[in-house]
Amino acid sequence: MDFFTKSVHSSLKSREAIKSKSTPIYQTSVFSFDSLEELEGFYDGDSSYLYTRTGNPNTDELGMAVAKLEEAPAGVASSSGLSAILAGFLSVVKSGDHIVAADDVYGGTFHILNHELKELGIETTFVSFEHEEEIRSAIKENTKLLFSESISNPFLRVENIQALVKIGQEKGIKTMIDNTFATPLLLQPYKEGVNLVVHSATKYLGGHSDVSSGVLTGDEDLVQKARGKIVNLGSNLSPFEAWLTCRGIKTLALRMERQSHNAERLASALKEHRGIQTVYYPEAVSPKGKGAVVTVELSGSADHHRFFKSLGWVKIVPSLAGVETTVSYPLGTSHRALSPEALEKLGINERVVRISVGIEDSEDIIHQFETALEQSMS
């Protein structure tokens, strides 16, 4: 089936006498049994559900839906994008192992790698993934994982996934990609040979800024290990949030197509404005679009405080990917935990603004940003 069709038809078939068109919300902490023999059958594999932390039809539906869109054999849902990322890491590495990661990953991921995993005895080397030789030179005998993002945050560098997979396969190292910004509509890293693909489903998969969830897809054995980490560390997703995310996925293709179109128009318009020093927007991602995020660096003549105060109906938020156009301030939100040296290396300063483009009329979006820029320079 085409992606548009697959994204709509992801519901589990009803197992009940009442044939609900959409999967019901199994808002229960536990499942009941008619006998001790039936209870024992759960442990023998005869039934699927015991306790919602260990599994629930709604969370299973979400994991399977995203795996289907990524064309991966398995998927598991978790409480957030970061918990899905952590589960993916722990499915591959243990104390004494080493990870090579792109130096421009999301700030929350950087913290997990540089602090939480470090405390568990797992070391990470951060290098520029723009240069293949830097990746290769960072690999050690105990390197078990290469990690990057398909489209980086906030400067929208598009990863060379084929080159990364080639290095991983040559060295016998697993690869993992955060595909949140691209979504499986634009890129499907698993089809390129990536072992694990993770999403902050809070973003485009859910799509309406009303849920926090994550999904990890990929190789069956690794996803099953990750599932065990999610269960045993208590980072499972609630049934209702899984249901909301699945509902959002049904309109993913429509939203992403529209948002990418609007983002491309906005990026083109802002390149010509005197209040903008640099526009960051991918040149090539997919024939289906270039993504729905535009990052800009304001010119020296624009006051960034005044700019943010002049945005009108465009909200300032610490996240992205809802149907409304929003802006975020990477220096003060997503990347605030980075050292001054790391921020300078990445080019993140007080004039960098990340724009998450929504589904509104593109002319209205452009007009609002041009108005804010003019007021920031007055």
Side-chain angles (χ1 to χ4, degrees):
M1 291 190 291
D2 180 78
F3 187 93
F4 277 73
T5 307
K6 284 193 291 188
S7 64
V8 173
H9 295 281
S10 59
S11 296
L12 292 173
K13 290 189 176 180
S14 176
R15 304 176 185 180
E16 311 298 333
I18 300 172
K19 302 295 183 182
S20 174
K21 181 174 179 287
S22 62
T23 305
I25 304 171
Y26 289 84
Q27 194 65 40
T28 180
S29 59
V30 294
F31 296 83
S32 62
F33 300 87
D34 293 331
S35 67
L36 293 181
E37 289 78 15
E38 187 180 353
L39 172 62
E40 192 63 29
F42 168 81
Y43 295 97
D44 293 335
D46 296 334
S47 60
S48 301
Y49 303 110
L50 173 78
Y51 184 48
T52 281
R53 178 169 60 83
T54 63
N56 180 286
N58 297 114
T59 55
D60 282 356
E61 178 180 80
L62 177 55
M64 289 186 289
V66 180
K68 186 177 180 181
L69 297 182
E70 288 285 3
E71 298 194 24
V76 61
S78 70
S79 58
S80 68
L82 276 181
S83 67
I85 289 170
L86 178 59
F89 289 157
L90 295 180
S91 74
V92 178
V93 298
K94 61 183 185 307
S95 181
D97 288 340
H98 177 251
I99 298 171
V100 177
D103 62 3
D104 54 358
V105 296
Y106 163 61
T109 307
F110 179 87
H111 180 84
I112 285 181
L113 290 165
N114 201 42
H115 295 280
E116 305 301 337
L117 291 189
K118 191 173 183 178
E119 291 183 359
L120 298 177
I122 301 164
E123 295 292 332
T124 301
T125 299
F126 297 92
V127 297
S128 171
F129 272 35
E130 291 185 279
H131 307 290
E132 188 174 326
E133 62 275 13
E134 289 196 35
I135 302 173
R136 291 182 179 277
S137 64
I139 293 173
K140 303 178 182 180
E141 288 186 6
N142 62 335
T143 302
K144 296 294 190 290
L145 181 68
L146 304 178
F147 175 78
S148 187
E149 298 165 351
S150 55
I151 301 177
S152 70
N153 176 14
F155 290 117
L156 313 177
R157 179 183 64 85
V158 180
E159 187 58 80
N160 187 339
I161 294 173
Q162 291 180 337
L164 196 62
V165 168
K166 180 181 178 182
I167 296 171
Q169 291 177 345
E170 286 177 359
K171 301 291 185 178
I173 299 170
K174 302 296 184 183
T175 50
M176 179 172 164
I177 289 288
D178 183 335
N179 200 34
T180 298
F181 273 38
T183 80
L185 174 66
L186 302 185
L187 293 173
Q188 295 169 310
Y190 190 80
K191 290 174 64 177
E192 301 294 331
V194 172
N195 300 104
L196 289 170
V197 180
V198 68
H199 289 269
S200 174
T202 308
K203 312 301 191 300
Y204 292 108
L205 299 185
H208 294 79
S209 306
D210 56 8
V211 65
S212 176
S213 57
V215 180
L216 179 75
T217 68
D219 293 346
E220 180 81 42
D221 60 333
L222 296 179
V223 171
Q224 290 310 315
K225 287 182 182 179
R227 185 186 302 276
K229 301 298 182 183
I230 290 168
V231 169
N232 294 320
L233 294 175
S235 56
N236 56 292
L237 181 64
S238 78
F240 181 55
E241 289 186 296
W243 184 87
L244 281 174
T245 309
C246 287
R247 184 178 67 167
I249 287 174
K250 294 180 187 297
T251 59
L252 168 63
L254 292 172
R255 288 184 283 104
M256 196 63 182
E257 187 177 60
R258 169 77 173 193
Q259 288 171 270
S260 294
H261 167 77
N262 284 350
E264 188 166 3
R265 290 208 62 201
L266 178 64
S268 178
L270 294 183
K271 283 179 181 177
E272 306 301 323
H273 200 283
R274 61 193 178 94
I276 298 293
Q277 178 173 307
T278 310
V279 172
Y280 299 90
Y281 190 66
E283 289 296 325
V285 176
S286 162
K288 294 184 178 180
K290 301 177 183 179
V293 177
V294 178
T295 297
V296 300
E297 183 172 353
L298 303 177
S299 68
S301 59
D303 181 277
H304 67 283
H305 287 286
R306 198 177 302 151
F307 171 80
F308 279 104
K309 290 178 180 179
S310 304
L311 285 167
W313 52 263
V314 176
K315 295 181 178 70
I316 305 169
V317 300
S319 190
L320 69 145
V323 292
E324 310 95 341
T325 297
T326 60
V327 297
S328 74
Y329 186 53
L331 183 66
T333 56
S334 60
H335 291 73
R336 70 177 299 130
L338 272 64
S339 67
E341 293 77 18
L343 290 169
E344 183 178 3
K345 181 180 179 182
L346 293 175
I348 297 174
N349 57 50
E350 71 278 359
R351 291 180 286 112
V352 172
V353 181
R354 190 189 68 196
I355 306 168
S356 174
V357 182
I359 64 171
E360 304 95 343
D361 181 83
S362 60
E363 290 298 327
D364 289 336
I365 298 171
I366 292 169
H367 175 73
Q368 189 59 60
F369 279 95
E370 289 179 338
T371 298
L373 285 167
E374 291 301 326
Q375 292 180 2
S376 74
M377 295 183 293
S378 60

